[in-house]
DNA sequence: GCGGATTTGTACGTATGTATG
DNA sequence: GCATACATACGTACAAATCCG
């Protein structure tokens, strides 16, 4: 869940949380991260916010999105 | 096998691979290409995806499908 | 010619991602 | 935030035509 009293943008909060989960080995390389709809429910934000967070992680080289397939951890 | 981390659509990946095999002389003109079920196993995708790939190759004039008989290399 | 196996054709349903209003 | 429409992909099931022992 996002902290609504944290001045950090929701999208940034979500991005950091997802990145933390990746670093903690919560996800594997072969399978996609939870869907946008699932993440939306997990963090209690709108789907657009989830997409913004994923866009940040793409820019940072943390994840890669495969059209129609899902978002994966970026391979180095 | 299809590369699940390649952003190219599965159907496009399969189509290119089949076309490559044809150009490499892997198949002959007299006999049908491997069946959809065989290709499904070869590439690790659903049959619908194989059919989508073959549809692409038909549009490109690479193959011809004989209903209930099989898909053949297109005669020029 | 018979009957089973094979192959393509068709139709669902589900899930996901994309795009738009 | 929500609704709609569409595309890709998977899985399943069955129908129809063909092939072959």
């Amino acid at each position: 869940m996002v902290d609504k009293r944290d001045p950090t943008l929701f999208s940034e909060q979500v991005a950091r949380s997802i990145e933390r989960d990746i670093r903690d080995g919560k996800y594997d390389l072969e399978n996609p991260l939870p869907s946008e709809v699932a993440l939306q429910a997990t963090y209690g934000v709108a789907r657009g916010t989830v997409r913004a967070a994923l866009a940040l992680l793409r820019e940072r080289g943390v994840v890669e999105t495969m059209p129609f397939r899902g978002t994966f951890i970026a391979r180095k």
Side-chain angles (χ1 to χ4, degrees), chain A:
Chain A
M1 266 296 187
V2 137
D3 180 358
K4 295 191 190 305
R5 313 200 47 167
D6 185 334
T8 307
L9 294 176
F10 288 176
S11 51
E12 182 60 40
Q13 289 188 46
V14 173
R16 289 178 187 171
S17 179
I18 293 172
E19 185 168 8
R20 192 182 320 121
D21 286 343
I22 290 174
R23 305 258 179 255
D24 289 350
K26 191 166 173 182
Y27 307 122
D28 64 85
L29 289 166
E30 297 310 313
N31 298 304
L33 304 184
S35 73
E36 294 176 353
V37 173
L39 292 172
Q40 170 181 355
T42 297
Y43 291 103
V45 297
R47 192 171 170 198
T49 303
V50 171
R51 290 180 65 79
L54 293 176
L56 288 172
L57 294 177
R58 275 196 298 276
E59 288 168 12
R60 295 169 190 173
V62 177
V63 302
E64 290 172 311
T65 295
M66 310 300 163
F68 308 106
R69 238 167 289 153
T71 296
F72 296 78
I73 298 173
R75 48 178 167 193
K76 295 290 160 36

